[in-house]
Amino acid sequence: MITLIQTEFIKLKHSKIFLLTVLGALSIPALLYIALLTGEYATFQGLLDYCATYACALFYIIIFTITIAYLFGREYTEHTLKTVLTAPLSKTKLLFGKYLMFFIWTFIITTITFTGTVLAAYFGGISDITLSAGLNSYKEMLISVFLLCLSFSPFVFLSLVMPNMVFSMVTGAIFSIINLFVYSTKYTPYIPWCSPYLIGSNEISNYSCSTATSLAIILATFAIGMTISYIYFTKKDVCL
């Protein structure tokens, strides 16, 4: 498994997709910095809250779909799956290894977004920057992103069935729009791509839905997505 992760990092060194996701992660603090210059988000905590909201409910939906499409779909589009499986590596380990790589990749993206936001606050002239507020917000973002990653298992199946980057980008854009319309409504805690932020930031207490219910929906989404992905990936023959 460690060898697989190391191999994926080597692939990233020769691909522009990682740079694309980094730029996507930096676009959030860049937009917040511009807003600071116009007089918006005068407090450090307010800036961090907006960062987490925009990231987890909007920007990351698109970035994560692109990430999954690259990790899982490229073995089909570049016809390298038949070569990978000649090594002593089962389809099961390959599937879950790539999903683990997805978690690591999103952790890097989240850290870049958070660090960029802190720098935006500093250079934007915010005076109430504190370590405790930063660490607490970073913890909330990590929890939100972890739960969001779990809810992305159905996208793994989609990337296996249709390993096309354009399709993934369109799908991510559609789900971002759905999140935009559903967010702040009474249905938000029941949407597995909206509720992670509510749970991480504890804003779910403002809704009638309990945390346990939202977590159950996220875990069910993860279980269903990984089950159908596993069945499809292990049963489908590899074209030579």
Side-chain angles (χ1 to χ4, degrees):
M1 190 68 72
I2 296 177
T3 303
L4 176 61
I5 299 299
Q6 291 174 338
T7 303
E8 292 296 331
F9 273 110
I10 292 174
K11 291 179 182 178
L12 287 182
K13 289 174 60 178
H14 304 284
S15 174
K16 296 180 180 179
I17 195 68
F18 182 72
L19 177 60
L20 177 63
T21 57
V22 169
L23 292 176
L26 289 175
S27 65
I28 303 171
L31 292 174
L32 291 174
Y33 178 72
I34 294 174
L36 279 175
L37 297 180
T38 61
E40 298 289 335
Y41 317 132
T43 65
F44 183 53
Q45 187 61 57
L47 190 74
L48 294 176
D49 290 343
Y50 276 106
C51 169
T53 303
Y54 292 150
C56 297
L58 187 62
F59 284 86
Y60 281 176
I61 304 299
I62 299 176
I63 295 175
F64 288 4
T65 50
I66 294 174
T67 303
I68 281 185
Y70 174 82
L71 286 173
F72 292 89
R74 68 168 295 176
E75 305 296 350
Y76 290 97
T77 57
E78 297 181 4
H79 306 288
T80 55
L81 183 59
K82 57 182 178 290
T83 305
V84 172
L85 293 178
T86 57
L89 181 69
S90 66
K91 284 188 174 183
T92 301
K93 288 184 178 180
L94 179 61
L95 181 67
F96 286 98
K98 282 185 172 290
Y99 205 78
L100 176 60
M101 181 62 194
F102 172 60
F103 275 92
I104 296 173
W105 195 337
T106 55
F107 169 78
I108 295 173
I109 291 173
T110 304
T111 303
I112 291 173
T113 300
F114 177 80
T115 304
T117 302
V118 173
L119 292 175
Y122 177 78
F123 290 108
I126 290 183
S127 58
D128 62 339
I129 299 176
T130 60
L131 179 62
S132 60
L135 291 178
N136 184 63
S137 294
Y138 183 55
K139 180 194 71 175
E140 292 178 354
M141 280 192 69
L142 289 179
I143 294 173
S144 301
V145 169
F146 174 77
L147 296 176
L148 188 61
C149 287
L150 292 179
S151 69
F152 262 74
S153 61
F155 290 93
V156 174
F157 175 71
L158 290 177
S159 68
L160 294 174
V161 176
M162 297 190 66
N164 186 293
M165 190 69 72
V166 175
F167 172 77
S168 299
M169 293 176 69
V170 172
T171 304
I174 291 174
F175 273 84
S176 294
I177 295 173
I178 292 174
N179 271 16
L180 191 62
F181 281 103
V182 174
Y183 195 77
S184 296
T185 68
K186 62 180 180 180
Y187 303 106
T188 306
Y190 303 99
I191 307 299
W193 302 281
C194 288
S195 57
Y197 171 70
L198 298 181
I199 297 173
S201 62
N202 201 33
E203 287 188 17
I204 198 168
S205 58
N206 299 328
Y207 295 84
S208 58
C209 178
S210 65
T211 303
T213 301
S214 292
L215 279 175
I217 294 173
I218 293 173
L219 293 176
T221 302
F222 169 73
I224 293 172
M226 289 306 297
T227 300
I228 60 178
S229 299
Y230 175 78
I231 294 174
Y232 179 84
F233 187 61
T234 55
K235 300 300 181 183
K236 188 177 185 300
D237 293 331
V238 180
C239 298
L240 298 177

